[in-house]
Amino acid sequence: MDIATAEDSGARGSIAADRWATGLLLVSILCPALPILGWILVIPVLRGFGNPHYAIAPLTAALFLLIAIGALLAHRGAWNVARAVTAVPLALLLLIVVQYAARLDLGLERLLFSGQVAALQVTNRGIPGLGAVAIFILNCIAILLMTSRSAFARTWVVLLASASLGLSVLTMTMTVTDPTNLSPTFIGRSTASALPNFTMALAMVLHILNESGLNERGRQQEELGFEYTLLRQLSPAIIVLPVFPSLIALLSVGGRLLTHNEAHFLVVVGNVLIVLLLLGIGLRRAKQQNEAVLLRERQLRSILAGVPDAVIVIDGEGRSKDFSAAAARLWGVPPEMGPGCNMADYLGDKERDKLAGLLARKAPEFLLTGEGVRFDGSRFPLELRGALLQGMDDETCFTLFARDLSEKLAAEQHVARLGAQLAHVSRHNAMGELAADLAHELNQPLTAAVNYLSAAGFVLNQREDQGPAPEMVEQARGQVVRAGEIIRRMREFAQHRDVEKRVEPLVPMIDDAIQLVLAGTSAHHVEIELAVEPEDLCVFIDRIQVQQVVVNLLRNAVEAIRSSAPHRGRITIAAYRNDEEWVEILFRDDGPGVPEAILDQLFERFTSTKAGAGMGIGLSISRRIVEAHGGTMSAANGEGGGATFCFTLPAASVEDQEVSRPAP
Ligand code: ADP
């Protein structure tokens, strides 16, 4: 049986027991209600609970009716009403005790149907016998304890209800076997009243034993400890079972099956056997339960030893109770010194105060980031998550999960640095691209202007009345030539950049670029797969420049995927050695593909479909960078949709990497 079904059947069992308890309590309410009805309507059969020649005392029936109603209310959780209803019979019962003890006449017998009671000469003037009073008081106390939140008080419910159960069995037997032998002031002739008491006490025992399956409080009590649970479960049997040998003995003597001596022997032997039986059951269950505790303890130890996260359990004062092996490694604490140490010693000043505040106000969950202090005094960025663990006796513990943020922060700084470098290079490249275009576009008109101005100077020189005009035309020509020079220099300046080619491993270079794109676009809807064969494949490149190509291609692919339904997809980056000299790198996405209309002039400047959002120079810069490395770049659409961009870079070997690394 797996755990879920075991729990299911446990819950089903609990609900069934709950229904049984309710049913039994209804029976114990119905039993006294009938005689009371008999008294009200003057129906002898009802009044005598089936026996028209006998009358059950109305006070006894009424007291019990109230007690049974109180028990039902307590069972259903209406604790306040249950307390109020039970207080009435308890007060009356105490008065009866006073009346018996002080031999006073408080007139209690005149409370209900006094005329009928006197006329019928009801036993003991209708006042319940002392034995019944004692059992009723037991019941009242048990009901009041049922409405208590204290686990200890609720344990007493089982004991008292079990005692009441045993006593009702005994009372029933005694009144059945030898009613004449009993004094009316002690027990009365109320076998009938013992039956509803039996059902009620049974219901109360069921209620308490079953509550662990039904509610949280009960479950907490179950967790109190196996000895406690075991004793609680066995206590009804310990109290009730020893009644049975006496019962059998009484019946046997009454039926003349045994002599008095034989009956005594039966009681002694019977009780010894019962004690043996209960002890045997108790020992067996205690062993099983202790083994289960040991197993859980070992499981916890192995979890704390193996869990990769740093886990610490601390008490409300911040003192550690458990310290996982990973936590000991994180703080550099010798494992044996972990448990018992003060958490405050391992935190920075601010964090120490913050943690103290959180513990003091018993924060159910918290996240604290700041500084951790290792055993050797060194400091590290720390993230501490905590969760409150409320114990039974208001004892509080917290489970802490700690993480060293050094690596995460270093990675973030690395990506930020790379981003800044790339942004710089990208601006530079974009300017170069624009300058090249300007130069290209302005070159022709400027050349034409120079030619026209030269021609105009020549024509003017033929004239006689030249004046200052040739001079001015010559100056204009000079200025136009200068403008051409400026543009040429600007182009050269923008394009001029020391290319720092080195042997670079491909995987970390592409990985960094991926991180950058993911950080910048929060592209959670895109899966990126990188397959480089062999993994240590190296290329001879200017890392920053080529990273710009990778970033351009990735951003385009992410944007293409995002622009079309279902707005999610996959980008595959593959790289392999094409031949001895070249490495081929492929970017494939499952977006909509490059629009056919621009496929031919894709790498030309200012080709873009992102109206306003793109400049259309990314691909042309990318191709220029690739070509500056001696490689080629091309694009195509796949048959099943999606775009593929492919470029080549000069190959290098891992050994070259050592050689090309700059001297420190
Ligand atoms: P920009 O991105 O600024 O428009 P690019 O030169 O990087 O400039 O891209 C030019 C055009 O090529 C884009 O506008 C887009 O239409 C198309 N394109 C580029 N990559 C892809 C791709 N992976 N899928 C579909 N279209 C693409």
Coordinates of all heavy atoms in Angstrom, one line a residue, residues 552-553 556-557 559-560 589 592-595 598 602 604 607-610 613-620 637 643 645, ligand 1:
N552 N 24.0 39.7 -32.0 CA 23.1 40.2 -33.1 C 22.2 39.1 -33.6 O 21.0 39.3 -33.6 CB 23.9 40.7 -34.3 CG 24.3 42.2 -34.1 OD1 23.7 42.9 -33.3 ND2 25.2 42.6 -34.9
L553 N 22.8 38.0 -33.9 CA 22.1 36.8 -34.4 C 21.1 36.3 -33.4 O 19.9 36.0 -33.7 CB 23.0 35.7 -34.9 CG 23.9 36.1 -36.1 CD1 24.8 34.9 -36.4 CD2 23.1 36.5 -37.3
N556 N 18.1 38.8 -32.9 CA 17.2 38.7 -34.0 C 16.3 37.5 -33.9 O 15.1 37.6 -34.2 CB 18.0 38.7 -35.3 CG 18.5 40.1 -35.8 OD1 17.9 41.1 -35.3 ND2 19.5 40.1 -36.7
A557 N 17.0 36.4 -33.6 CA 16.2 35.1 -33.5 C 15.2 35.2 -32.4 O 14.0 34.8 -32.6 CB 17.1 33.9 -33.3
E559 N 13.8 37.9 -31.2 CA 12.7 38.8 -31.5 C 11.8 38.2 -32.6 O 10.6 38.4 -32.6 CB 13.3 40.1 -32.1 CG 13.8 41.0 -31.0 CD 14.7 42.1 -31.5 OE1 14.7 42.4 -32.7 OE2 15.4 42.8 -30.6
A560 N 12.4 37.4 -33.5 CA 11.6 36.7 -34.5 C 10.6 35.8 -33.9 O 9.4 35.7 -34.2 CB 12.5 36.0 -35.5
D589 N 16.7 28.9 -35.9 CA 15.5 29.2 -35.0 C 14.3 28.6 -35.6 O 14.2 28.4 -36.8 CB 15.4 30.7 -34.7 CG 15.1 31.5 -35.9 OD1 14.0 31.3 -36.4 OD2 15.9 32.3 -36.3
P592 N 9.4 32.7 -37.7 CA 8.7 32.7 -39.0 C 9.6 32.7 -40.2 O 9.2 32.6 -41.3 CB 8.0 34.1 -38.9 CG 8.8 34.9 -37.9 CD 9.4 33.9 -37.0
G593 N 11.0 32.9 -40.0 CA 11.9 32.9 -41.1 C 12.0 34.4 -41.6 O 11.2 35.2 -41.2
V594 N 13.1 34.6 -42.4 CA 13.3 35.9 -42.9 C 12.3 36.2 -44.0 O 12.1 35.4 -44.9 CB 14.8 36.0 -43.5 CG1 15.0 37.5 -44.0 CG2 15.8 35.7 -42.5
P595 N 11.6 37.4 -44.0 CA 10.7 37.7 -45.1 C 11.4 37.6 -46.5 O 12.5 38.1 -46.6 CB 10.2 39.1 -44.8 CG 10.6 39.4 -43.3 CD 11.7 38.5 -43.0
I598 N 13.1 40.6 -48.4 CA 14.4 41.2 -48.0 C 15.5 40.2 -48.0 O 16.7 40.5 -47.7 CB 14.3 41.9 -46.6 CG1 14.0 40.9 -45.5 CG2 13.3 43.1 -46.7 CD1 14.3 41.5 -44.2
L602 N 19.6 41.2 -47.5 CA 19.5 41.1 -46.0 C 20.8 41.7 -45.4 O 20.7 42.3 -44.3 CB 19.5 39.6 -45.6 CG 19.1 39.3 -44.2 CD1 17.8 39.8 -43.8 CD2 19.1 37.8 -44.0
E604 N 22.6 44.1 -46.6 CA 22.8 45.5 -46.9 C 22.4 46.4 -45.8 O 21.5 46.0 -45.1 CB 22.1 45.8 -48.2 CG 22.8 45.2 -49.4 CD 22.0 45.4 -50.7 OE1 21.1 46.3 -50.7 OE2 22.3 44.6 -51.6
T607 N 18.5 47.6 -44.0 CA 17.4 46.6 -44.4 C 16.8 46.1 -43.1 O 17.4 45.5 -42.3 CB 18.0 45.4 -45.2 OG1 18.7 45.9 -46.3 CG2 16.9 44.4 -45.6
S608 N 15.5 46.5 -42.9 CA 14.9 46.1 -41.6 C 13.4 46.0 -41.8 O 12.8 46.8 -42.6 CB 15.2 47.1 -40.6 OG 14.5 46.8 -39.4
T609 N 12.8 45.1 -41.1 CA 11.3 45.0 -41.1 C 10.7 45.5 -39.8 O 9.6 45.4 -39.6 CB 10.9 43.5 -41.3 OG1 11.5 42.7 -40.4 CG2 11.2 43.0 -42.7
K610 N 11.7 45.9 -38.9 CA 11.2 46.3 -37.6 C 10.9 47.8 -37.6 O 11.7 48.6 -37.1 CB 12.2 46.0 -36.5 CG 12.5 44.5 -36.5 CD 13.7 44.2 -35.6 CE 14.2 42.8 -35.8 NZ 15.5 42.5 -35.3
A613 N 11.9 50.2 -34.9 CA 12.5 49.5 -33.8 C 13.9 49.0 -34.1 O 14.7 48.7 -33.2 CB 11.7 48.3 -33.3
G614 N 14.3 49.0 -35.4 CA 15.6 48.5 -35.8 C 16.2 49.4 -36.8 O 15.5 50.1 -37.6
M615 N 17.6 49.5 -36.8 CA 18.2 50.3 -37.8 C 18.6 49.6 -39.1 O 18.9 50.2 -40.1 CB 19.5 50.9 -37.2 CG 19.2 52.1 -36.2 SD 20.7 52.6 -35.4 CE 21.7 53.1 -36.8
G616 N 18.5 48.3 -39.0 CA 18.8 47.5 -40.1 C 20.3 47.5 -40.5 O 20.7 47.3 -41.7
I617 N 21.2 47.7 -39.5 CA 22.6 47.6 -39.8 C 23.3 46.5 -39.0 O 24.5 46.2 -39.3 CB 23.3 48.9 -39.4 CG1 23.1 49.3 -38.0 CG2 23.0 50.0 -40.4 CD1 23.9 50.5 -37.5
G618 N 22.5 45.7 -38.2 CA 23.1 44.6 -37.4 C 23.8 43.6 -38.2 O 24.9 43.2 -38.0
L619 N 23.0 43.1 -39.3 CA 23.5 42.0 -40.1 C 24.7 42.5 -41.0 O 25.6 41.8 -41.2 CB 22.4 41.4 -40.9 CG 21.4 40.6 -40.2 CD1 20.3 40.1 -41.1 CD2 22.1 39.4 -39.5
S620 N 24.6 43.8 -41.4 CA 25.7 44.2 -42.3 C 27.0 44.4 -41.4 O 28.1 44.0 -41.9 CB 25.3 45.5 -43.0 OG 25.6 46.6 -42.2
N637 N 16.3 30.4 -45.4 CA 15.1 30.0 -44.6 C 15.0 28.5 -44.7 O 15.2 27.9 -45.8 CB 13.8 30.6 -45.2 CG 13.7 32.0 -44.6 OD1 14.2 32.4 -43.5 ND2 13.0 32.9 -45.4
A643 N 14.6 30.6 -39.6 CA 15.8 31.1 -40.3 C 17.1 30.4 -39.9 O 17.2 30.0 -38.7 CB 15.9 32.6 -40.1
F645 N 21.2 31.1 -40.0 CA 22.4 32.0 -40.3 C 23.6 31.2 -40.1 O 23.7 30.4 -39.2 CB 22.4 33.2 -39.4 CG 21.3 34.2 -39.8 CD1 20.0 34.1 -39.3 CD2 21.6 35.3 -40.7 CE1 19.0 35.0 -39.7 CE2 20.6 36.2 -41.0 CZ 19.3 36.1 -40.5
Ligands
ADP1 P1 17.4 45.1 -37.3 O1 17.4 43.9 -36.4 O2 17.8 46.3 -36.7 O3 16.2 45.2 -38.2 P2 19.3 43.5 -38.8 O4 20.3 43.8 -39.8 O5 19.9 42.8 -37.6 O6 18.6 44.8 -38.4 O7 18.2 42.5 -39.4 C1 17.6 42.9 -40.6 C2 16.3 42.2 -40.8 O8 16.5 40.8 -41.0 C3 15.3 42.3 -39.6 O9 14.6 43.5 -39.6 C4 14.5 41.0 -39.8 O10 13.4 41.3 -40.7 C5 15.4 40.1 -40.6 N1 15.9 39.0 -39.7 C6 17.1 39.0 -39.1 N2 17.2 37.8 -38.4 C7 16.0 37.1 -38.5 C8 15.6 35.9 -38.1 N3 16.3 35.1 -37.3 N4 14.3 35.5 -38.4 C9 13.6 36.3 -39.2 N5 14.0 37.5 -39.7 C10 15.2 37.9 -39.4

